[in-house]
């Protein structure tokens, strides 16, 4: 308990029998409830969790029959925490890569009501480039940029960090059934939080690697999949927040800007093809391409600026 608020920790686990015990041992005493959600593991993860539960009465083991993804496991834990009256719910993965010393820094601003959602940011530290595998660092940077645009949280980085804390009030507002169930869960979570104008804060966290973790992430598959998820989430957020719930002209700026960019790009490619097969491009068409690209870029940048202004109070 902290600041008079009960603290629950959700530990999604999939085939983490080796690292799960160390993860659970590191969870500090301020935590009141721990839910180990096994996501259809085929190894000894459940046995390891139950062995830990026999020594620590705070631990409850929730076994899912089928592997639904890390997001599905987290949502299962969220539901249990809500049922048991948890005031602040933290997510800490079972791979022992989340520093337990950072847990109170995540929980405090949520418990005090300063923010609705706090997330770890491993990129704040100057050692991030040295500690994080370079391919994952660069992949994270790309997805963080897409997430800023899609979610409207322009001040948030390290979008792939799953080390988070959320308050009960905001958790009750979210539509848990429609959160993305797999690896893109933290990105999709931010999109959904923005619909409710949740206040979000990044908290500096130390990156931990080389503890025996086994990454199942394949960037060539993950980046396109999450990019598509964010593309859909971006338009869904605009529709929900700036059309259904309230109106803002930035929607028109985004639509006209992107349509102009697409039209200008397509017409430009068409002219290049004509030039390649021997036809001359007319001055008028070249000017039209330039104007479409220019106006498209300006409209899009203005839309982004409006979005930043609209969400500046959600820090």
């Amino acid at each position: 308990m902290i600041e008079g608020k009960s603290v629950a920790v959700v530990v999604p686990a999939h085939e983490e029998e080796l690292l799960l015990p160390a993860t659970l041992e590191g969870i500090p005493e301020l935590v009141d409830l721990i839910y180990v959600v096994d996501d259809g593991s085929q190894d000894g993860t459940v046995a390891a969790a139950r062995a830990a539960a026999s020594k620590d009465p705070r631990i409850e083991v929730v076994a899912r029959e089928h592997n639904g993804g890390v997001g599905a496991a987290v949502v299962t834990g969220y539901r249990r925490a809500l049922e048991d009256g948890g005031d602040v719910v933290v997510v800490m993965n079972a791979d022992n890569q989340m520093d337990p010393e950072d847990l109170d820094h995540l929980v405090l601003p949520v418990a005090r009501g300063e923010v609705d959602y706090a997330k770890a940011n491993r990129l704040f530290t100057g050692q991030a480039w040295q500690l994080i595998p370079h391919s994952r660092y660069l992949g994270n940077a790309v997805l963080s940029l897409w997430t800023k645009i899609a979610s409207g949280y322009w001040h948030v980085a390290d979008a792939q960090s799953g080390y988070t804390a959320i308050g009960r009030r905001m958790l009750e507002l979210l539509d848990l059934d429609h959160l993305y169930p797999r690896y893109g869960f933290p990105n999709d979570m931010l999109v959904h939080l923005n619909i409710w104008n949740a206040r979000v804060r990044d908290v500096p966290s130390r990156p931990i690697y080389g503890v025996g973790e086994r990454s199942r992430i394949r960037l060539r598959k993950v980046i396109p999949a999450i990019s598509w998820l964010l593309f859909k989430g971006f338009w869904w957020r605009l529709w929900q927040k700036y059309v259904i719930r309230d109106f803002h002209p930035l929607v028109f700026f985004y639509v006209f800007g992107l349509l102009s960019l697409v039209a200008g790009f397509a017409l430009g490619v068409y002219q290049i093809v004509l030039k390649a097969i021997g036809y001359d491009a007319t001055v008028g068409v070249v000017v039209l391409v330039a104007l479409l690209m220019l106006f498209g870029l300006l409209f899009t940048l203005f839309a982004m600026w409006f979005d930043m202004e609209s969400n500046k109070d959600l820090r």
Side-chain angles (χ1 to χ4, degrees), residues 17 35 70 73 100 104 112 129 180 188-189 205 207 233 263 280 283 286 304:
E17 62 176 329
Y35 304 96
V70 61
D104 62 330
R112 290 172 175 169
W129 179 252
Y180 189 66
D188 194 45
M189 184 75 164
S205 181
D280 291 329
V283 175
V286 172
M304 289 181 175

Side-chain angles (χ1 to χ4, degrees), residues 13-40:
H14 178 65
E15 298 185 353
E16 292 288 0
E17 62 176 329
L18 298 180
L19 295 175
L20 178 61
T23 300
L24 296 175
E25 288 173 10
I27 296 177
E29 291 298 320
L30 65 88
V31 173
D32 302 285
L33 300 166
I34 302 170
Y35 304 96
V36 179
V37 183
D38 175 72
D39 192 30

Side-chain angles (χ1 to χ4, degrees), residues 39-303:
D39 192 30
S41 298
Q42 300 299 312
D43 64 354
T45 298
V46 173
R50 287 175 176 159
S54 67
K55 303 173 185 176
D56 188 340
R58 299 177 300 169
I59 299 174
E60 177 183 336
V61 182
V62 182
R64 292 170 51 89
E65 286 187 31
H66 306 290
N67 174 246
V70 61
V74 170
V75 167
T76 297
Y78 277 163
R79 294 189 189 281
R80 296 302 289 265
L82 286 174
E83 290 172 3
D84 292 340
D87 295 312
V88 182
V89 187
V90 178
V91 176
M92 177 183 281
N93 291 344
D95 56 8
N96 203 29
Q97 286 188 269
M98 297 175 175
D99 192 346
E101 293 185 6
D102 294 331
L103 191 143
D104 62 330
H105 300 302
L106 286 169
V107 171
L108 263 175
V110 179
R112 290 172 175 169
E114 297 171 5
V115 297
D116 301 296
Y117 188 75
K119 57 175 288 297
N121 186 337
R122 299 160 295 180
L123 307 183
F124 274 161
T125 172
Q127 296 179 310
W129 179 252
Q130 287 76 32
L131 295 176
I132 301 175
H134 291 176
S135 61
R136 295 191 65 176
Y137 184 99
L138 294 172
N140 191 338
V142 170
L143 292 175
S144 291
L145 175 59
W146 295 158
T147 303
K148 287 174 183 284
I149 298 171
S151 70
Y153 289 113
W154 298 86
H155 65 284
V156 167
D158 194 8
Q160 303 316 114
S161 173
Y163 197 7
T164 64
I166 187 171
R168 180 180 183 85
R169 184 189 72 85
M170 185 54 58
L171 196 55
E172 289 175 332
L173 289 175
L174 291 174
D175 185 356
L176 298 179
D177 290 329
H178 289 88
L179 289 170
Y180 189 66
R182 297 199 174 273
Y183 181 68
F185 175 81
N187 313 77
D188 194 45
M189 184 75 164
L190 288 170
V191 174
H192 282 254
L193 286 168
N194 191 263
I195 297 297
W196 293 101
N197 292 317
R199 296 161 298 163
V200 175
R201 179 182 296 175
D202 266 355
V203 176
S205 181
R206 180 173 63 93
I208 298 177
Y209 285 87
V211 293
E213 71 277 3
R214 296 171 298 166
S215 176
R216 302 178 182 88
I217 299 169
R218 299 294 177 264
L219 292 179
R220 65 181 181 275
K221 295 182 179 180
V222 165
I223 291 182
I226 297 180
S227 296
W228 176 242
L229 170 71
L230 291 171
F231 178 78
K232 294 186 295 181
F234 167 75
W235 292 109
W236 177 76
R237 179 177 71 89
L238 294 188
W239 176 256
Q240 289 290 324
K241 186 168 184 175
Y242 298 124
V243 177
I244 300 297
R245 296 168 187 249
D246 197 3
F247 176 76
H248 197 296
L250 71 82
V251 174
F252 294 122
F253 278 81
Y254 263 128
V255 171
F256 293 150
L258 293 176
L259 286 177
S260 294
L261 285 173
V262 171
F265 179 78
L267 187 58
V269 170
Y270 177 67
Q271 289 302 307
I272 291 173
V273 172
L274 288 180
K275 182 70 174 177
I277 61 178
Y279 292 95
D280 291 329
T282 62
V283 175
V285 174
V286 172
V287 171
L288 178 60
V289 170
L291 288 175
L292 284 171
M293 296 298 290
L294 177 61
F295 279 110
L297 183 61
L298 288 175
F299 273 118
T300 303
L301 290 176
F302 271 118

